[in-house]
Amino acid sequence: MKIDLTHTTSSRINAALMDARRASGSTAAGMVLTLVIVTDEGSAYDALKAANDASREHPSRTLAVIKRAGRSPRARAETRLDAEILVGSDAGSGETVVLRMHGELAAHAQSVVLPLLLPDAPVVVWWPENAPLHPANDPLGALAQRRITDAVTAESPVGQLAQRAASYTPGDTDLAWTRITGWRSMLAAALDQRPTAITGAVVEGESYNPSVELLGLWLTNRLRVPVERIVTGGPGITAVRLRTKEGEIVLDRPDGLMGTLSMPGSPDRMVALKRRDTAELIAEELRRLDPDDIYATAVRTPVDRLREPQPEEPAAPSADAVPAEVAAPARVTAKLPAAEPADTAPADTAPAEAEPPTKKATAKKAAPRKRSAS
């Protein structure tokens, strides 16, 4: 069922929702939360589709806030609220209200959203794009228990992590962190099966991907070892290598679908590490509404700690190094600082091998002198 309302108010929207619920034969709301999506016309379709798919696991009232302030003075002077109500199969397992705010009303979106929130139900605000610098201080973010952003959509995704660390408030989270849940689970399970001391780690993935950086920061905090960052052609995260005295524990996913877990003394195993869509990520975030302390610790770690080994890497010809990193990221580990002692070993052993002939030569020369003396 679809209902269009123009030049409307929040009270009329609530009345229309009640009438639509009665018409569908459901008198009770049956919603577990209110999901507020702050987006624009260009991203509204994809965001609403993801929210509707996630509502099958978490029935919720979805409020899509689309601000249309207007470019001309006449358009900005016209204050109007238009609403599109979707109930039934068009809204998944919940209710969807698309709110288009024109003119100065766009600057006071919280006054329209507040009467439409479900009573005694948690509120989650999601910015698919153009998230505010401080989500908790945003008028809409102040209404929510959880605030979801996505650093991937920023112009500088890695730089966005520094902004998220500076403005973090309990309840904040980012979909870049949600994307590495499978990687964190697999690595933790591997170390549970084979407890060993980790001496270092390497994270390989495409550039400008905040999920790669967050995974490296998480390993830095949990393992307390230096973590190196290697850029590959992707997609996303391609491999994680944990260095131990027995060998490397490698979780490799070159195609974005299936991963291979390799451990010293054990056969390789195939694991499911498919890249998930936005609906699955939102559904995972809606499962827990308490603050994510592990995310807070990881995002607050300076990203520069992952770049410490880079200045020590030997400069290689650009024509050969780039294809090697993209086609076979495992070869790049041979160029890391950990492999430099292997290059200096022959220089140290050469003098040691040359010393015995010198001593033998002096012994032969000393023998004739003893005979002449005798």
Side-chain angles (χ1 to χ4, degrees):
M1 180 183 297
K2 180 179 178 182
I3 303 174
D4 290 328
L5 300 175
T6 58
H7 288 81
T8 186
T9 60
S10 299
S11 59
R12 294 177 183 175
I13 296 173
N14 266 324
L17 286 171
M18 292 294 296
D19 295 340
R21 197 179 303 134
R22 293 192 188 97
S24 62
S26 175
T27 57
M31 309 298 166
V32 298
L33 57 89
T34 302
L35 176 62
V36 181
I37 305 175
V38 186
T39 182
D40 54 16
E41 291 288 358
S43 305
Y45 176 81
D46 294 335
L48 286 174
K49 185 178 183 304
N52 290 342
D53 293 342
S55 69
R56 304 186 187 280
E57 182 177 345
H58 309 279
S60 59
R61 174 177 289 182
T62 302
L63 305 177
V65 177
I66 300 177
K67 301 178 181 180
R68 305 181 67 175
R71 298 181 179 178
S72 63
R74 178 177 299 178
R76 289 192 295 269
E78 183 183 6
T79 301
R80 188 175 83 250
L81 173 63
D82 297 336
E84 181 181 342
I85 302 175
L86 302 175
V87 181
S89 59
D90 295 332
S93 298
E95 302 170 344
T96 300
V97 182
V98 182
L99 303 171
R100 291 182 172 87
M101 304 177 187
H102 301 262
E104 294 183 359
L105 185 61
H108 306 279
Q110 71 279 5
S111 62
V112 179
V113 171
L114 186 59
L116 299 177
L117 301 178
L118 291 173
D120 301 327
V123 180
V124 179
V125 178
W126 171 33
W127 290 270
E129 295 181 359
N130 301 322
L133 297 179
H134 202 309
N137 290 346
D138 184 80
L140 288 174
L143 302 175
Q145 285 77 32
R146 289 298 301 272
R147 294 163 293 274
I148 304 174
T149 57
D150 195 353
V152 173
T153 60
E155 294 184 1
S156 177
V158 178
Q160 190 73 3
L161 295 180
Q163 178 60 40
R164 293 290 160 253
S167 64
Y168 176 80
T169 304
D172 293 353
T173 190
D174 198 280
L175 293 184
W177 172 257
T178 316
R179 291 184 179 95
I180 64 174
T181 300
W183 288 87
R184 294 190 293 120
S185 301
M186 290 296 175
L187 293 173
L191 294 181
D192 287 342
Q193 297 174 10
R194 191 183 183 88
T196 182
I198 305 298
T199 59
V202 179
V203 179
E204 302 176 4
E206 59 186 357
S207 61
Y208 303 105
N209 191 321
S211 296
V212 183
E213 310 293 338
L214 281 175
L215 183 57
L217 298 177
W218 174 72
L219 291 173
T220 302
N221 281 281
R222 308 309 294 182
L223 299 178
R224 304 295 180 183
V225 296
V227 178
E228 301 173 12
R229 169 77 160 88
I230 295 180
V231 177
T232 63
I237 305 172
T238 55
V240 175
R241 305 175 185 275
L242 304 180
R243 295 169 178 164
T244 67
K245 295 181 179 180
E246 296 80 9
E248 285 189 341
I249 300 175
V250 181
L251 183 56
D252 188 19
R253 189 196 64 177
D255 56 358
L257 296 175
M258 295 294 295
T260 303
L261 179 61
S262 304
M263 302 177 65
S266 302
D268 295 350
R269 288 177 292 174
M270 302 296 293
V271 295
L273 276 178
K274 181 182 177 181
R275 304 186 74 188
R276 298 178 294 171
D277 57 14
T278 307
E280 294 177 293
L281 301 176
I282 292 296
E284 178 184 337
E285 285 299 332
L286 296 181
R287 292 188 193 118
R288 54 175 301 171
L289 299 178
D290 56 322
D292 193 343
D293 296 332
I294 301 178
Y295 163 73
T297 304
V299 77
R300 285 173 172 173
T301 303
V303 181
D304 295 340
R305 294 183 60 179
L306 302 183
R307 306 183 184 277
E308 291 177 359
Q310 292 183 356
E312 299 177 6
E313 295 181 3
S318 58
D320 299 331
V322 174
E325 293 177 359
V326 176
R331 298 179 184 175
V332 184
T333 57
K335 301 178 182 180
L336 296 176
E340 290 181 357
D343 300 334
T344 58
D348 297 339
T349 56
E353 295 175 358
E355 288 179 359
T358 306
K359 294 179 180 180
K360 292 180 180 179
T362 55
K364 291 180 180 180
K365 292 180 180 180
R369 292 179 182 177
K370 291 180 180 180
R371 291 177 181 176
S372 59
S374 59

